[in-house]
Amino acid sequence: MQKKFRSPCAIASTLDVLGDKWSLVLVRDMLIKGKKTFKEFSSSPEGIATGILASRLKLLESYGLITKRKLPDNKKENIYLLTEKGIDLAPVIMEITLWGDKYMRAYNEELSSYEALKKDKTVAINTVQKNYRQVVAQIIG
Amino acid sequence: MQKKFRSPCAIASTLDVLGDKWSLVLVRDMLIKGKKTFKEFSSSPEGIATGILASRLKLLESYGLITKRKLPDNKKENIYLLTEKGIDLAPVIMEITLWGDKYMRAYNEELSSYEALKKDKTVAINTVQKNYRQVVAQIIG
DNA sequence: TTAATTACTTTCAAATTAGAAGTAAAATGC
DNA sequence: GCATTTTACTTCTAATTTGAAAGTAATTAA
């Protein structure tokens, strides 16, 4: 499961793990959209195949970015939650969002906009992280 | 060449273009390491295959992140330079570097560290961008 | 003027992805 | 309490992408 790293570079090593089209979309689903279950991730507009989803969740779990658990009153659903390591990707997600908002609209006219984020980046990042931690606290107590 | 977008999400759309193991490594090579030629990119420690390199350079050029030109005194070498759009990826690169520096060392002990960046993120980003613009100005006048 | 360099392209095997279908356990409906 | 649906997968296969190596054409260096 664990991969080899191409070099001693922090960027390259991070991309060795997260450098694909899906991993950060899943982090976005959790952090921004509050998604928690396989079903919810499956239903994202991007349309991830279930096989890829299962393998990405495993990868993220193996690197400690997410945890997988069941709630006492539901033996069927698995709940996937970001760890602090995962929550700490918020600045990366936000900078990608800002860059995309600024430059990708020329290619994808449908892009939605992110006014709050553009107004105050630091506040927006802190808010998203704080909100997510509250969601986690409510679920695992 | 131009791809389809999976959704109206800025993150997903950005990853539709840059979401792979190589594109941001090339941006790093240019922005941080001042690399400019096919040969220089080829010689990075990550060891990109020449076929992949050629296709990535084409992709980045097609999305206006880089330009390709020849200098008057050298008909052989192509010079690849980041545009403003590409230079604007500095915050993304820096956040990925910070995250990787903090969390990937557990998996890749060889990781080099980034003290200046950790001390003042904003200054580090501005410095890198300013330096790169100077390099560009010196080359294209 | 021969050799080396640069920037590729081509080729092919291996790995990854996408899409569809299948499965087992748990929950829901009647 | 039994059949149906739901959830979270796994499996399968085809298509795409990657990686490694070798080849090529134009330019530059010796």
Side-chain angles (χ1 to χ4, degrees):
Chain A
M1 196 78 221
Q2 233 75 320
K3 307 182 172 183
K4 280 149 201 121
F5 294 101
R6 289 173 289 177
S7 77
C9 167
I11 299 163
S13 298
T14 301
L15 294 175
D16 282 334
V17 177
L18 298 175
D20 68 80
K21 300 214 180 302
W22 290 112
S23 298
L24 288 176
V25 166
L26 291 178
V27 174
R28 173 211 66 180
D29 274 353
M30 295 188 241
L31 193 59
I32 314 283
K33 305 197 175 172
K35 295 190 179 186
K36 298 177 293 293
T37 63
F38 195 96
K39 181 80 188 312
E40 288 173 316
F41 302 132
S42 279
S43 72
S44 286
E46 288 84 13
I48 190 170
T50 58
I52 310 283
L53 175 54
S55 79
R56 282 297 174 288
L57 289 171
K58 235 167 237 168
L59 181 78
L60 293 176
E61 198 188 359
S62 84
Y63 278 100
L65 276 80
I66 64 174
T67 57
K68 176 183 179 178
R69 76 187 70 218
K70 283 187 205 297
L71 297 183
D73 59 336
N74 189 329
K75 285 170 190 152
K76 192 158 66 164
E77 280 188 336
N78 288 317
I79 306 290
Y80 296 93
L81 296 172
L82 291 168
T83 60
E84 276 302 310
K85 199 191 285 195
I87 295 172
D88 244 6
L89 282 169
V92 173
I93 296 275
M94 292 306 189
E95 292 294 354
I96 293 175
T97 303
L98 281 173
W99 189 91
D101 184 67
K102 188 168 175 186
Y103 294 112
M104 292 308 295
R105 187 161 287 107
Y107 304 99
N108 184 355
E109 302 160 8
E110 315 293 314
L111 269 208
S112 37
S113 94
Y114 301 83
E115 295 308 323
L117 179 53
K118 277 183 273 188
K119 264 182 197 131
D120 194 325
K121 202 192 292 186
T122 309
V123 168
I125 292 171
N126 284 336
T127 302
V128 145
Q129 293 181 322
K130 203 178 129 192
N131 287 348
Y132 190 81
R133 287 191 190 101
Q134 270 183 12
V135 168
V136 172
Q138 274 196 331
I139 291 169
I140 69 174
Chain B
M1 197 76 220
Q2 233 73 323
K3 308 185 172 181
K4 280 152 202 117
F5 294 101
R6 291 173 289 177
S7 76
C9 168
I11 299 163
S13 299
T14 301
L15 294 175
D16 282 333
V17 176
L18 298 174
D20 67 81
K21 300 213 181 301
W22 291 111
S23 298
L24 288 176
V25 167
L26 292 177
V27 174
R28 173 210 67 181
D29 274 353
M30 295 188 241
L31 192 60
I32 314 283
K33 305 198 177 172
K35 296 190 178 184
K36 295 177 294 294
T37 63
F38 195 95
K39 181 79 188 311
E40 289 174 316
F41 302 132
S42 278
S43 73
S44 285
E46 289 83 14
I48 189 169
T50 57
I52 310 281
L53 175 53
S55 78
R56 281 297 174 288
L57 289 172
K58 236 167 237 168
L59 181 78
L60 294 176
E61 198 188 359
S62 83
Y63 278 101
L65 275 80
I66 64 174
T67 56
K68 176 182 178 178
R69 75 187 71 220
K70 284 187 204 298
L71 297 183
D73 60 336
N74 189 328
K75 287 171 187 149
K76 191 158 67 162
E77 280 187 335
N78 288 317
I79 305 290
Y80 296 93
L81 295 174
L82 291 168
T83 60
E84 276 302 309
K85 200 191 284 198
I87 295 171
D88 244 6
L89 282 169
V92 172
I93 297 276
M94 293 306 190
E95 292 295 352
I96 293 176
T97 303
L98 281 173
W99 189 90
D101 183 67
K102 189 168 176 186
Y103 293 112
M104 292 307 294
R105 186 160 288 109
Y107 304 99
N108 184 355
E109 301 160 8
E110 315 292 315
L111 269 208
S112 37
S113 92
Y114 302 84
E115 295 308 323
L117 179 54
K118 278 184 272 188
K119 266 184 195 131
D120 194 324
K121 202 192 292 184
T122 309
V123 168
I125 291 171
N126 285 336
T127 303
V128 145
Q129 294 181 322
K130 203 179 129 192
N131 287 349
Y132 190 81
R133 288 192 189 100
Q134 269 182 13
V135 168
V136 172
Q138 274 196 332
I139 291 168
I140 70 174

